[in-house]
Amino acid sequence: MILQWQIIFCLIFTVAYITADSDINPTCLLNYLHENQIIIGGFRGFKARKTQFNEPDATCNERIESFNNNMYDELLRLLRNEHETAEIADCIIDQLKVLKYGDLQLQKLFYEGSKTISKRKRKNKLKSIEFSIDKQLEISLKICSPEDIFGEFFDELYNSANQTSDEDSAESDYCLKKHLSDTNFYNKTAYVIDMNPKNIDISQINCDDEYKIALDAFEEAFEEELQMEMRKSPKNTKTCVTNAIRSTKSLEHNLFAAILGEIGVTADERAKERAKYVTAMDQMYSKLMKCNY
Ligand SMILES: *[C@@H]1O[C@H](CO)[C@@H](O)[C@H](O)[C@H]1NC(C)=O
Ligand SMILES: *[C@@H]1O[C@H](CO)[C@@H](O)[C@H](O)[C@H]1NC(C)=O
């Protein structure tokens, strides 16, 4: 079984960064970001230089709005070039608006043009903003196209199930299979799973620990995935991620996909289980989406 979740869930997304032209002046941009509490602190350089925080004027707001509109139009065009259907492309744009993707682009614009922040600090900020931009795109794609994306994950897990035969993982394999069986996660009449094909000594294994290790690794992979701007406290986010994963039995669904690959099932069974997997992962992502916002 494969437990390298990060590798499996890593998508290759080819939409290039948008380099939208903008006629927003730095004061307007800073006012907007400040007013909307998008950048809190981290711009002491401005305060030190006594930058005035004016009330945002009407033309400033108009320019911000037009920047956002142009940016989303450009993104829609890029998505259509990537052969996304109109429905999926529109869904991605809507999802990105919920995530306040435009605010990330405005932050990017701000830090790119900011002359008063040290080069090193600016570089780090931009790196983390670009990371969030990528993540928001990936997550939106998963939510808008679950059949394609999660279906692919299922196939990946299923098809590569026989490839790993790491001796070290035999205990973990045994325990995780046992867990699925003990909790009646799957139909035991339909699927006969050999818990211990390698005949390892199971008398000394603490299966509770093995399950916990697997669950922790799984949850960590998603916490990493969700490290956008943490709008809630990291502790609340962690609890929310944990709930999203456990309530949808996502770890179990992923393990089971790999186990099905190991035993080999009929095309009908595979299609049925694939659909269940897609539903579960879709539900998990919908819940995860609410963890940061
Ligand atoms: C379990 O699988 C068997 C054999 O395929 C089937 O007859 C039975 O209806 C299934 N049970 C459930 C609860 O799906
Ligand atoms: C894995 O191996 C088993 C046993 O040899 C086989 O039945 C199954 O179809 C294989 N799975 C894949 C995905 O090739």
Side-chain angles (χ1 to χ4, degrees):
M1 267 186 276
I2 299 172
L3 292 169
Q4 293 298 317
W5 307 115
Q6 287 90 339
I7 296 169
I8 293 165
F9 299 127
C10 183
L11 274 188
I12 296 160
F13 203 82
T14 52
V15 169
Y17 289 116
I18 301 159
T19 44
D21 285 328
S22 127
D23 56 356
I24 307 173
N25 70 49
T27 313
C28 161
L29 187 55
L30 183 60
N31 274 333
Y32 174 83
L33 294 171
H34 181 66
E35 280 285 311
N36 291 281
Q37 302 198 328
I38 296 161
I39 45 172
I40 307 162
F43 52 106
R44 276 154 119 205
F46 285 89
K47 278 191 177 155
R49 284 168 181 77
K50 296 202 176 13
T51 298
Q52 295 294 313
F53 291 111
N54 303 318
E55 288 297 313
D57 58 279
T59 54
C60 173
N61 284 343
E62 263 167 35
R63 281 172 188 193
I64 299 269
E65 203 183 314
S66 116
F67 170 85
N68 272 328
N69 290 340
N70 291 341
M71 189 267 301
Y72 284 123
D73 285 350
E74 172 70 355
L75 186 58
L76 192 64
R77 199 183 58 74
L78 284 168
L79 288 167
R80 294 307 303 271
N81 280 352
E82 300 255 322
H83 311 295
E84 298 293 351
T85 65
E87 196 192 345
I88 290 173
D90 286 345
C91 169
I92 290 174
I93 299 292
D94 288 345
Q95 193 63 53
L96 288 171
K97 285 180 180 167
V98 172
L99 290 169
K100 295 187 191 294
Y101 181 80
D103 286 353
L104 278 178
Q105 293 287 359
L106 286 167
Q107 278 186 77
K108 185 166 177 274
L109 193 65
F110 170 73
Y111 284 105
E112 277 169 351
S114 155
K115 300 278 188 294
T116 52
I117 294 169
S118 78
K119 209 172 159 188
R120 197 171 63 103
K121 192 168 176 192
R122 216 169 61 187
K123 218 175 117 196
N124 285 340
K125 266 286 179 194
L126 280 169
K127 218 172 113 190
S128 100
I129 291 166
E130 278 163 9
F131 178 81
S132 300
I133 287 174
D134 278 350
K135 282 296 159 203
Q136 289 198 353
L137 275 169
E138 262 190 44
I139 288 170
S140 302
L141 185 65
K142 283 175 186 167
I143 290 198
C144 294
S145 187
E147 186 68 42
D148 290 351
I149 305 292
F150 299 132
E152 240 169 70
F153 288 169
F154 179 92
D155 293 341
E156 180 95 2
L157 286 161
Y158 187 98
N159 290 328
S160 49
N162 283 339
Q163 284 167 17
T164 42
S165 57
D166 185 355
E167 278 307 316
D168 293 341
S169 69
E171 294 189 356
S172 168
D173 271 22
Y174 163 75
C175 289
L176 296 172
K177 283 175 182 160
K178 185 172 176 297
H179 171 79
L180 295 185
S181 170
D182 289 352
T183 55
N184 288 313
F185 179 79
Y186 62 93
N187 183 339
K188 290 190 218 170
T189 314
Y191 306 115
V192 179
I193 295 165
D194 185 356
M195 301 287 141
N196 189 9
K198 290 178 188 150
N199 271 316
I200 56 164
D201 176 12
I202 52 172
S203 59
Q204 302 295 319
I205 305 175
N206 182 342
C207 274
D208 289 346
D209 283 353
E210 292 292 347
Y211 175 69
K212 201 175 171 314
I213 289 166
L215 189 59
D216 281 350
F218 191 76
E219 287 170 0
E220 265 165 35
F222 287 99
E223 273 165 43
E224 237 163 69
E225 167 150 9
L226 279 181
Q227 268 170 10
M228 300 186 266
E229 325 119 85
M230 291 293 184
R231 300 215 167 166
K232 291 182 182 172
S233 77
K235 190 163 168 285
N236 285 349
T237 306
K238 192 172 165 48
T239 310
C240 180
V241 169
T242 302
N243 287 341
I245 288 171
R246 295 188 188 177
S247 64
T248 53
K249 295 196 191 312
S250 289
L251 171 65
E252 285 78 355
H253 280 284
N254 279 280
L255 292 172
F256 192 55
I259 292 170
L260 288 172
E262 267 178 23
I263 61 174
V265 296
T266 66
D268 276 357
E269 287 170 330
R270 182 172 168 169
K272 203 176 82 194
E273 299 300 337
R274 192 180 191 266
K276 277 196 219 164
Y277 175 92
V278 168
T279 305
M281 291 296 279
D282 192 16
Q283 282 171 351
M284 182 193 72
Y285 265 92
S286 303
K287 289 184 179 207
L288 283 179
M289 288 316 294
K290 300 190 183 118
C291 291
N292 260 322
Y293 296 90

